Amino acid sequence: MSKLEEAFISVIVDRSAMAKIFQMADASNLVTELRRNFDAGVTRGYEWRVTQLKKLLVICDKHEPEIVSALHDDLGKPELESSVYEVALLRNSIKLALKQLKDWMAPHKAKTSLTTFPASAKIVSEPLGVVLVISAWNFPFSNSRIGRIIMTAAAKHLTPVSLELGGKSPVVIDSDTNLKITVRRIISGKWGCNNGQACISPDYILTTKEYAPKVIDALKKELEAFYGNNPMGSKDTSRIVNLNHFDRLSKMLEEKEVSNKIVYGGQKNRENLKISPTVLLDVPLDSLIMSEEIFGPLLPIVTLNNLEECFGVINSRPKPLAAYLFTKNHKLKKKFTKTVSAGGIVVNDTAVHFTLPTLPFGGVGESGIGSYHGKFSFDAFSHKKSVLFKSFLGDSAIRYPPYSRRKLGLLKTLVNSNLVDTFKVLLGLS
């Protein structure tokens, strides 16, 4: 087993090992060593990167049981969620990088113009250098408050940042939808993703007053089918991560004018850190549950007079990390994708865009800066260096003093890449 594997597994199996690692290491010396290796070119080559990726793949393949066990011990996370959303997605990302890395690293040709003729140009992907990755206990994220702290600290050193911050991701349900599939996919994205403790988890539902009762009935039916009559005893939902978050969620539920809005669930067990899947109807828009990211198994439904009002509700709030729409109406799909600003939009499903390495994953505004996944991850940690190769041939006197009106006219046409006007100037016709 390599040192990388040993360190990785020691942290998984013994969470106190992380504290030990950082008590022993001096951060300044560590960064100095990492920068020395980078400056020496140790990490830049294709072969070295492939070696590291293969080691990570070995960890995924050899130690999946330990990873799944640790997530179950910490969060009560079901094996399916851990194996699919944690290990399998990472494994697929590594395999994609191994397959595509040589192409990602290769310089890409860029067009030149009359201004630089004769010349050739290319774009070179250059590693940014030593990178600090701050990852949370569930998936890599932060919130906007922490994001501002990190960005302020980085600004002092002119250090670039990529921030994935989460937010309140809305779900809009049109009456013209397949309701059974709609609620099943909402349940999967909400309670099937770490019991709502995921940055792209559906945060609240928007639908019409007329259609809301049908949505609630369908949710109740499918929730019972998935988690039984006693969801608190279900092995297919995760625990709340800790007492602090349990109390935060409890405070949302117990707030005045919210506690009487529960239409399904609401059971809590503080000792076991369990909260059952809970649906609420028409909570006040200024309540805690509608003001803060829920990040838990609570799902409020906000009713509208007509579905067009959903655009006003969503766009009056900070831009979310994700926005979801369920409808068969093509005009509504088109308007939603054009009008709603979010990190990502999914029509007729939830959260699944996260699994596609061909799509950039990230936020906008309050929900984040930058994006990653697949090649977008490679680009996030790269500087796109412009390289231009000029010949000593074709050195024209028009760029050098003394300047004249003729030189000015000729340079203007060259900059505009207008070949016809260039000849006119040369012939004295312009």
Side-chain angles (χ1 to χ4, degrees):
M1 185 184 294
S2 69
K3 290 183 179 179
L4 175 64
E5 288 180 273
E6 290 176 356
F8 189 84
I9 297 304
S10 68
V11 172
I12 291 173
V13 177
D14 179 9
R15 253 64 82 223
S16 64
M18 180 64 80
K20 293 176 185 176
I21 289 172
F22 283 99
Q23 286 172 4
M24 293 169 59
D26 179 80
S28 179
N29 290 338
L30 179 60
V31 171
T32 300
E33 181 184 352
L34 289 170
R35 285 180 175 156
R36 187 184 301 117
N37 287 334
F38 177 77
D39 292 339
V42 174
T43 64
R44 295 192 183 213
Y46 170 77
E47 291 76 13
W48 186 90
R49 300 188 200 192
V50 166
T51 299
Q52 300 305 303
L53 288 169
K54 287 181 176 178
K55 287 180 179 179
L56 284 174
L57 193 59
V58 168
I59 291 174
C60 291
D61 291 339
K62 286 188 176 181
H63 303 290
E64 182 173 341
E66 292 100 314
I67 296 170
V68 170
S69 177
L71 287 167
H72 182 269
D73 291 345
D74 282 354
L75 303 172
K77 200 166 189 177
E79 180 181 356
L80 183 145
E81 289 185 34
S82 299
S83 292
V84 175
Y85 303 143
E86 303 275 359
V87 182
L89 285 181
L90 175 58
R91 185 185 288 116
N92 288 344
S93 295
I94 295 169
K95 288 181 177 179
L96 176 69
L98 286 169
K99 183 178 180 181
Q100 300 289 338
L101 184 60
K102 188 168 287 187
D103 181 60
W104 295 348
M105 292 177 65
H108 292 272
K109 289 184 178 180
K111 290 183 178 180
T112 57
S113 66
L114 283 174
T115 310
T116 58
F117 180 85
S120 63
K122 63 181 180 179
I123 301 168
V124 178
S125 293
E126 178 181 72
L128 288 175
V130 177
V131 175
L132 172 65
V133 178
I134 302 176
S135 201
W137 55 270
N138 63 336
F139 301 103
F141 87 108
S142 195
N143 55 47
S144 58
R145 181 180 68 84
I146 300 299
R148 285 180 170 86
I149 294 172
I150 293 170
M151 198 167 182
T152 299
K156 294 177 182 178
H157 306 280
L158 294 179
T159 299
V161 297
S162 292
L163 300 172
E164 192 237 285
L165 305 177
K168 295 185 72 64
S169 299
V171 181
V172 176
I173 303 179
D174 183 23
S175 58
D176 184 13
T177 189
N178 183 316
L179 187 55
K180 180 176 181 177
I181 294 177
T182 293
V183 297
R184 289 167 72 93
R185 290 178 178 177
I186 291 172
I187 292 170
S188 176
K190 178 68 174 181
W191 294 283
C193 285
N194 206 27
N195 207 10
Q197 298 170 107
C199 53
I200 51 174
S201 170
D203 194 274
Y204 63 98
I205 289 175
L206 293 169
T207 192
T208 62
K209 296 181 186 296
E210 181 182 4
Y211 200 58
K214 293 181 180 179
V215 173
I216 293 170
D217 287 343
L219 279 169
K220 289 178 178 178
K221 181 179 179 181
E222 297 303 327
L223 281 168
E224 187 170 316
F226 290 172
Y227 304 116
N229 294 323
N230 178 28
M232 293 289 280
S234 173
K235 295 181 179 179
D236 293 326
T237 59
S238 303
R239 292 192 297 270
I240 306 305
V241 62
N242 56 35
L243 278 174
N244 180 55
H245 280 287
F246 183 94
D247 292 339
R248 179 184 61 82
L249 291 165
S250 295
K251 185 178 179 181
M252 287 182 177
L253 275 181
E254 294 163 3
E255 188 180 14
K256 188 180 179 181
E257 298 183 3
V258 170
S259 58
N260 62 341
K261 301 293 185 179
I262 298 173
V263 294
Y264 181 84
Q267 294 84 17
K268 298 179 293 180
N269 186 318
R270 193 170 187 268
E271 183 179 350
N272 294 329
L273 296 176
K274 293 281 281 188
I275 298 177
S276 67
T278 301
V279 181
L280 305 97
L281 179 64
D282 280 332
V283 297
L285 292 179
D286 60 353
S287 60
L288 280 176
I289 201 170
M290 286 303 297
S291 302
E292 300 178 2
E293 182 180 5
I294 295 172
F295 213 73
L298 318 178
L299 184 62
I301 298 174
V302 176
T303 60
L304 313 168
N305 293 315
N306 60 75
L307 209 62
E308 286 291 315
E309 294 178 2
C310 76
F311 297 106
V313 174
I314 296 171
N315 292 331
S316 66
R317 294 168 168 266
K319 296 178 180 182
L321 186 59
Y324 306 114
L325 169 68
F326 287 89
T327 185
K328 297 177 182 177
N329 188 311
H330 293 291
K331 288 184 178 179
L332 182 57
K333 293 176 187 178
K334 186 175 181 179
K335 183 174 181 179
F336 191 84
T337 56
K338 182 179 180 180
T339 305
V340 173
S341 181
I345 286 177
V346 181
V347 177
N348 294 333
D349 212 329
T350 63
V352 292
H353 63 304
F354 181 83
T355 66
L356 276 180
T358 53
L359 289 177
F361 181 77
V364 57
E366 288 285 310
S367 59
I369 297 171
S371 59
Y372 53 99
H373 278 187
K375 187 177 184 295
F376 303 100
S377 295
F378 178 86
D379 291 340
F381 295 104
S382 300
H383 163 61
K384 300 300 181 182
K385 183 165 61 179
S386 302
V387 179
L388 179 71
F389 296 95
K390 270 285 280 174
S391 169
F392 285 114
L393 299 175
D395 190 50
S396 175
I398 64 171
R399 63 185 288 190
Y400 305 121
Y403 301 133
S404 66
R405 299 300 301 176
R406 185 172 180 275
K407 286 183 177 181
L408 174 62
L410 191 54
L411 282 171
K412 278 185 175 180
T413 61
L414 287 172
V415 170
N416 292 329
S417 296
N418 192 319
L419 195 59
V420 174
D421 286 347
T422 300
F423 279 114
K424 284 183 179 179
V425 173
L426 289 172
L427 295 171
L429 301 177
S430 176

